[in-house]
Amino acid sequence: MSKTIEQLQAENKKLKQSLKDLQNKFAVFSSFERNAKEIFWQMDFSLQTTYISQRITDFLGYTPEEFIAKEYSQLVTPETYQKILDIQQQF
């Protein structure tokens, strides 16, 4: 079924508002992150880092890109890595 111009314009307006809302939320988070003293670290279930804040450079000397490129097993002790793998297998 074809959409009318009015329907497409209404969808476009909603999408533009959603984008604006998302940009505002991102700006707030970015400001919070820049001023935080902590590191924000996100991983997926396969233990791949998907996000690390810029503060990682202050703590460990890695740029976020360098840190993301590392395998989780390179970042923790072998014992800790095994414990994480054991826990992960429970899910």
Side-chain angles (χ1 to χ4, degrees), residues 1-8 11:
M1 176 179 207
S2 298
K3 294 183 180 183
T4 66
I5 290 176
E6 291 79 16
Q7 289 172 321
L8 291 172
E11 285 181 19

Side-chain angles (χ1 to χ4, degrees), residues 39-53 56 63-75:
I39 295 173
F40 293 87
W41 184 4
Q42 179 180 356
M43 299 175 72
D44 61 19
F45 195 69
S46 66
L47 304 178
Q48 178 64 45
T49 299
T50 56
Y51 178 80
I52 191 76
S53 59
I56 194 67
T63 66
E65 295 79 14
E66 291 170 329
F67 190 86
I68 287 173
K70 292 195 169 293
E71 295 290 327
Y72 186 69
S73 61
Q74 296 174 295
L75 302 170

Side-chain angles (χ1 to χ4, degrees), residues 11-78:
E11 285 181 19
N12 189 36
K13 185 177 179 180
K14 286 180 184 178
L15 287 172
K16 284 182 179 180
Q17 184 59 49
S18 294
L19 177 59
K20 185 177 179 182
D21 293 344
L22 186 59
Q23 288 170 329
N24 289 337
K25 289 176 183 176
F26 181 75
V28 169
F29 175 76
S30 294
S31 175
F32 176 73
E33 180 191 24
R34 278 191 306 277
N35 295 309
K37 296 190 185 321
E38 294 83 11
I39 295 173
F40 293 87
W41 184 4
Q42 179 180 356
M43 299 175 72
D44 61 19
F45 195 69
S46 66
L47 304 178
Q48 178 64 45
T49 299
T50 56
Y51 178 80
I52 191 76
S53 59
Q54 188 66 41
R55 295 280 295 163
I56 194 67
T57 305
D58 298 334
F59 281 85
L60 298 178
Y62 298 115
T63 66
E65 295 79 14
E66 291 170 329
F67 190 86
I68 287 173
K70 292 195 169 293
E71 295 290 327
Y72 186 69
S73 61
Q74 296 174 295
L75 302 170
V76 296
T77 65

